[in-house]
Amino acid sequence: MSTSTNSARKPPPLICTVDLVLLTLRDEQLQVLLLKRERDPFAGALALPGGYVHADQDQGCEDAAHRVLRDKAGLEGLYLEQLATFSGPGRDPRGWSVSVAYVALVDAGRLARRALPAPGCSWLPVDRLPALAFDHGHIVEAAVARVRSKSLYSSLPAHLCPEPFTLPELHAVYEAVLGESVNPVSFRRKMDELDILDAVTGAKRAEGAHRPAQLYRLRKEFRQRLRLVGRGLKA
């Protein structure tokens, strides 16, 4: 009895990577970190920070994403969440590939204290990007849609607000991320419902002609995870 050729077939080669959509808020715009590729394919084109999954080192794709964040962006301890898996034979000229994409958020205050992680890096507005390598333009679009949708019912935009901040400053960050105005009364009600903020004792900031406003920080348990609410800001 002959052995089935299917059972004897070797597994085909598979390219497995992680790609990172690192977002910040600069000039009241969502911006994404991009790197100029030095090698083919797409040499000279801009691309998301990414890298191969190291089977002998990474315990999972999230470990690989944290490694890419550290090695290519010089950052650790950020909010990070898995976005989606992108796969197929046409996304990489080198062969059939699968990429697990992640979204990470960093506030502009933290970036202001450090230089760009490497030559060839740039921050660009997500709504005005050039053509990117591979399918990275599609990945950025998916990430931005996720962030804007999730901002309606979660604490996500707070990870883009430099600490300490006032409630009006956090309100402005929510509006910048969503790209639309948010009713101040509804916003404050949602912040009470989320219960993610700690007042900085004795710390206030003058804001124009108004009385000095209380300063806040994210509660420790929400610095790398989100709080969700049942109804969105518009409810």
Side-chain angles (χ1 to χ4, degrees), residues 14-44:
L14 177 68
I15 299 170
C16 186
T17 63
V18 294
D19 287 305
L20 185 68
V21 184
L22 178 58
L23 297 172
T24 194
L25 194 64
R26 293 153 54 110
D27 301 324
E28 300 183 353
Q29 303 174 91
L30 271 180
Q31 298 193 11
V32 61
L33 181 67
L34 298 171
L35 283 65
K36 188 174 183 179
R37 287 185 57 81
E38 297 178 351
R39 297 186 295 273
D40 285 327
F42 302 106

Side-chain angles (χ1 to χ4, degrees), residues 78-90:
L78 302 184
Y79 173 74
L80 178 80
E81 75 169 60
Q82 187 178 125
L83 172 64
T85 299
F86 299 83
S87 61

Side-chain angles (χ1 to χ4, degrees), residues 55-83:
D56 60 343
Q57 176 182 346
D58 301 321
Q59 296 302 305
C61 288
E62 187 167 329
D63 280 354
H66 280 292
R67 173 170 49 77
V68 167
L69 183 61
R70 181 181 63 252
D71 294 349
K72 295 195 174 181
L75 293 165
E76 295 184 274
L78 302 184
Y79 173 74
L80 178 80
E81 75 169 60
Q82 187 178 125
L83 172 64

Side-chain angles (χ1 to χ4, degrees), residues 11-17 52-53 86-89 92 94-99:
L14 177 68
I15 299 170
C16 186
T17 63
Y52 293 109
V53 174
F86 299 83
S87 61
D92 190 323
R94 294 169 293 188
W96 210 103
S97 69
V98 56
S99 175

Side-chain angles (χ1 to χ4, degrees), residues 86-87 117-118 122 156 161 171 182 184 201 207 215 230:
F86 299 83
S87 61
S122 56
L156 189 147
C161 196
H171 181 203
V182 175
T201 304
E207 297 187 330
L215 290 173

Side-chain angles (χ1 to χ4, degrees), residues 48 56 72 83 91 120 127 130 159 186 198 222 225:
L48 294 169
D56 60 343
K72 295 195 174 181
L83 172 64
R91 59 182 308 273
D127 295 325
H159 295 277
S186 298
D198 276 335
F222 296 112
R225 68 184 182 93

